[in-house]
């Protein structure tokens, strides 16, 4: 079993409303008594102010879902790391497959965003993962290694401050989950690559994401290199997310 304390992160994606957020957070905070892992929710940026207030003084950390690679200036629609920091943001998901797909985010851009987040005092949660076609073509290892190499190339000196999330694209929002041993196999590849790059690699948390839910979380979290979860759909249901946080607290 890993010595790294587990980290469980809810990715709310483009879901929520002022009213729905308030009731979800109230239910989560009520159930946090038996939660001993690190936990965070990554929310749409328009709700950061609301969530900063709702989460104040709680054990649930605040996260965002993207950051600009630029410091400031003429970048309409973008949100900088220092702006996120103003709202108490601790984590930022970067390079999610939905952003790679819908916004053509390259490995190099994701690495730059991670650099910008780190400079702003925010922990990047950098997503890597293969598509179904890539898995079927036997390219899983090559794809995740390429994605991680770009991150290491730019941020190798502070790699221990980054969280990596292995999210097989075919498992995100589909109800298909990687088998625990499939997840562990890829996590071990990522860990070895980190170890080759940094003496601090054992401190890097590698999360699993892709249809993790209340029923399958415990067995995934039992894998030696699975240090937590990045959770989409199931993080929007307080009882389910709490069950998963408790599974990570054993
Ligand atoms: C995600 O969006 O990062 C994710 C893992 O989603 P889901 O849990 O819904 O598959």
């Amino acid at each position: 079993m890993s010595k790294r304390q587990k980290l469980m992160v809810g990715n709310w994606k483009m879901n929520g409303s002022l009213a729905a957020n308030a009731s979800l957070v109230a239910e989560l905070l009520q159930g946090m008594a038996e939660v001993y892992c690190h936990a965070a929710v990554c929310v749409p940026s328009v709700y950061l102010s609301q969530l900063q207030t709702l989460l104040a003084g709680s054990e649930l950390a605040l996260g965002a879902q993207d950051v600009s690679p630029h410091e400031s200036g003429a970048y309409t629609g973008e949100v900088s790391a220092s702006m996120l920091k103003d709202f108490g943001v601790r984590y930022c998901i970067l390079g999610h497959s939905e952003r790679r797909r819908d916004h053509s985010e390259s490995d190099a851009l994701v690495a730059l965003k991670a650099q910008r987040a780190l400079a702003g005092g925010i922990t990047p949660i950098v997503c890597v993962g293969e598509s179904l076609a890539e898995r079927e073509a036997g390219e899983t290892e090559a794809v995740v290694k390429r994605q991680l190499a770009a991150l290491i190339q730019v941020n190798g000196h502070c790699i221990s401050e980054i969280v990596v999330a292995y999210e097989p694209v075919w498992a995100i929002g589909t109800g298909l989950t990687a088998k625990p041993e499939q997840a562990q196999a890829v996590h071990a590849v990522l860990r070895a690559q980190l170890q080759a790059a940094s003496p601090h690699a054992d401190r890097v948390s590698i999360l699993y994401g892709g249809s993790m839910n209340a029923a399958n979380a415990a067995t995934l979290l039992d894998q030696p290199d699975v240090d937590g979860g990045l959770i989409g759909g199931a993080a929007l249901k307080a009882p389910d997310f709490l069950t998963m946080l408790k599974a990570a607290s054993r």
Side-chain angles (χ1 to χ4, degrees):
M1 187 72 78
S2 150
K3 291 192 187 66
R4 292 169 291 277
Q5 190 172 11
K6 298 269 196 274
L7 168 63
M8 300 293 278
V9 180
N11 174 13
W12 287 9
K13 310 197 192 201
M14 199 175 72
N15 292 294
S17 66
L18 289 171
N21 301 345
S23 78
L24 176 55
V25 169
E27 211 177 330
L28 288 175
L29 295 185
Q30 264 170 25
M32 291 288 286
E34 293 152 51
V35 170
Y36 308 110
C37 62
H38 294 300
V41 287
C42 294
V43 308
S45 50
V46 289
Y47 293 130
L48 288 172
S49 173
Q50 181 200 18
L51 267 287
Q52 182 182 30
T53 304
L54 291 175
L55 299 179
S58 81
E59 295 296 314
L60 202 49
L62 183 55
Q65 299 175 9
D66 187 32
V67 72
S68 172
H70 307 288
E71 199 172 340
S72 66
Y75 302 103
T76 302
E78 300 237 30
V79 175
S80 74
S82 64
M83 291 171 185
L84 297 181
K85 197 69 186 166
D86 272 347
F87 289 93
V89 166
R90 174 129 176 241
Y91 297 99
C92 186
I93 298 171
L94 294 174
H96 191 281
S97 60
E98 288 154 13
R99 291 206 62 85
R100 290 179 190 262
R101 179 194 68 202
D102 300 337
H103 301 271
S104 306
E105 291 198 2
S106 66
D107 298 338
L109 178 66
V110 173
L112 279 182
K113 289 184 173 197
Q115 187 180 42
R116 188 62 72 192
L118 285 169
I122 293 169
T123 301
I125 301 173
V126 179
C127 303
V128 300
E130 81 288 1
S131 66
L132 185 59
E134 287 163 340
R135 174 161 281 266
E136 286 175 350
E139 293 167 358
T140 298
E141 208 172 297
V143 169
V144 298
K145 279 178 150 178
R146 187 203 71 220
Q147 293 170 329
L148 185 59
L151 186 70
I152 291 170
Q153 193 185 344
V154 177
N155 302 284
H157 53 291
C158 43
I159 204 74
S160 62
E161 292 159 51
I162 292 178
V163 173
V164 176
Y166 169 53
E167 296 214 309
V169 179
W170 49 270
I172 296 176
T174 58
L176 297 173
T177 314
K179 293 191 188 88
E181 56 277 17
Q182 283 177 316
Q184 170 56 28
V186 179
H187 283 229
V189 166
L190 296 171
R191 178 83 56 209
Q193 191 177 0
L194 289 165
Q195 277 161 343
S198 164
H200 307 299
D202 286 344
R203 285 198 235 141
V204 178
S205 289
I206 307 178
L207 314 184
Y208 170 78
S211 298
M212 195 188 245
N213 59 38
N216 63 26
T219 44
L220 285 159
L221 292 167
D222 280 344
Q223 301 303 306
D225 286 296
V226 176
D227 303 316
L230 180 54
I231 300 125
L236 297 170
K237 298 175 209 141
D240 291 28
F241 195 49
L242 285 168
T243 300
M244 300 163 84
L245 295 183
K246 285 171 195 165
S249 302
R250 294 164 301 149

